[in-house]
Amino acid sequence: MKEDIDTLKDDWLTDNSIAFWEEYLEREYLTQYPNANIVLLRPSMSFMLVQTPDPLTLKEALPDFSRTSHIFLPINDCRNPAIAEGGSHWSLLLVSVVDGVAFHYDSMHPSNASSAALTAEKMSTLLGKRLILKDLEDSPQQENSSDCGVFVCILMKHLLLGKLLKAARGEKIGMSMANKQIDAHKVRKEMLGIIENFRREGERRRR
């Protein structure tokens, strides 16, 4: 846990850090929309999906996607399942099941293009429907080599809160994040602040 928190300060985010952010978004926001059928798949599950030759064998381990409208998948470029916390770059794949489109947001475009294509292919097999991959070249770009996970987290939040949960039923949504200004340092401080608030709340409840 300490390692995960330390990476939030100025390093490449771990699987656990991104998974924590997804849990936070679910608990603080998604629970307020009981009719939203949106899944935030954990990095470990996204990785397992890519590594499994036949993704249909994972159906029992994965959420039931039969009524899901959108799926967020944090993906990285690791190809070796034997290496814990492997890979060197994160990007975000947002699958619109209802539209049959997989949107790819890469803050070091096109670094994760092949990983995105493979993940979309696996999801297509799992869902039993064709997915068109849209690699969004206008995605916000990071300025260093360590902020990719931070970009995944904040884009996930903007897409979820600013687009999907605000849209009326049946409304067509523009999924581009072009011209979105991202202050990675500010996002890291926000995430650390959330963890600190949870820690204090835990201590208060134990008294």
Side-chain angles (χ1 to χ4, degrees):
M1 181 65 177
K2 183 181 183 301
E3 176 193 352
D4 300 321
I5 293 175
D6 286 344
T7 65
L8 281 172
K9 295 175 182 176
D10 58 6
D11 207 348
W12 194 81
L13 297 197
T14 63
D15 290 32
N16 287 338
S17 297
I18 295 176
F20 163 79
W21 184 253
E22 291 182 306
E23 291 170 16
Y24 165 73
L25 292 178
E26 288 171 346
R27 188 165 84 172
E28 297 297 317
Y29 300 103
L30 266 181
T31 53
Q32 300 176 32
Y33 296 84
N35 294 324
N37 295 308
I38 299 171
V39 172
L40 310 184
L41 205 63
R42 302 298 186 260
S44 58
M45 300 305 291
S46 299
F47 181 66
M48 186 167 65
L49 176 67
V50 171
Q51 295 297 321
T52 304
D54 180 7
L56 292 176
T57 61
L58 295 175
K59 274 206 165 185
E60 294 300 315
L62 293 168
D64 180 5
F65 296 126
S66 60
R67 299 183 63 187
T68 300
S69 64
H70 296 84
I71 307 166
F72 286 87
L73 300 98
I75 56 177
N76 71 33
D77 58 358
C78 182
R79 287 289 181 269
N80 187 347
I83 301 177
E85 301 290 348
S88 61
H89 182 54
W90 288 108
S91 61
L92 177 65
L93 195 71
L94 170 55
V95 175
S96 175
V97 182
V98 291
D99 297 314
V101 180
F103 300 95
H104 184 223
Y105 304 86
D106 189 345
S107 59
M108 288 185 69
H109 187 272
S111 297
N112 261 11
S114 60
S115 295
L118 180 57
T119 306
E121 180 184 326
K122 298 283 186 175
M123 282 302 304
S124 177
T125 301
L126 188 63
L127 296 170
K129 68 180 298 181
R130 179 170 175 261
L131 291 176
I132 298 171
L133 177 62
K134 288 195 175 182
D135 199 13
L136 300 176
E137 298 181 13
D138 58 3
S139 297
Q141 299 294 289
Q142 65 194 79
E143 297 178 353
N144 57 26
S145 61
S146 59
D147 281 340
C148 52
V150 177
F151 272 64
V152 165
C153 289
I154 199 62
L155 287 175
M156 190 185 301
K157 181 180 179 180
H158 286 314
L159 289 164
L160 179 65
L161 305 186
K163 291 184 179 288
L164 300 184
L165 294 180
K166 286 177 65 176
R169 182 179 295 274
E171 178 185 352
K172 285 294 181 182
I173 315 168
M175 301 308 294
S176 170
M177 293 299 290
N179 303 316
K180 182 67 183 176
Q181 299 299 313
I182 294 179
D183 184 338
H185 179 68
K186 182 178 179 181
V187 176
R188 288 180 184 273
K189 286 184 65 177
E190 177 187 357
M191 296 174 79
L192 287 167
I194 291 168
I195 291 173
E196 178 61 18
N197 287 339
F198 282 153
R199 185 190 68 78
R200 290 176 180 173
E201 178 64 17
E203 287 184 351
R204 186 186 65 79
R205 289 182 178 180
R206 286 193 294 270
R207 288 172 186 165

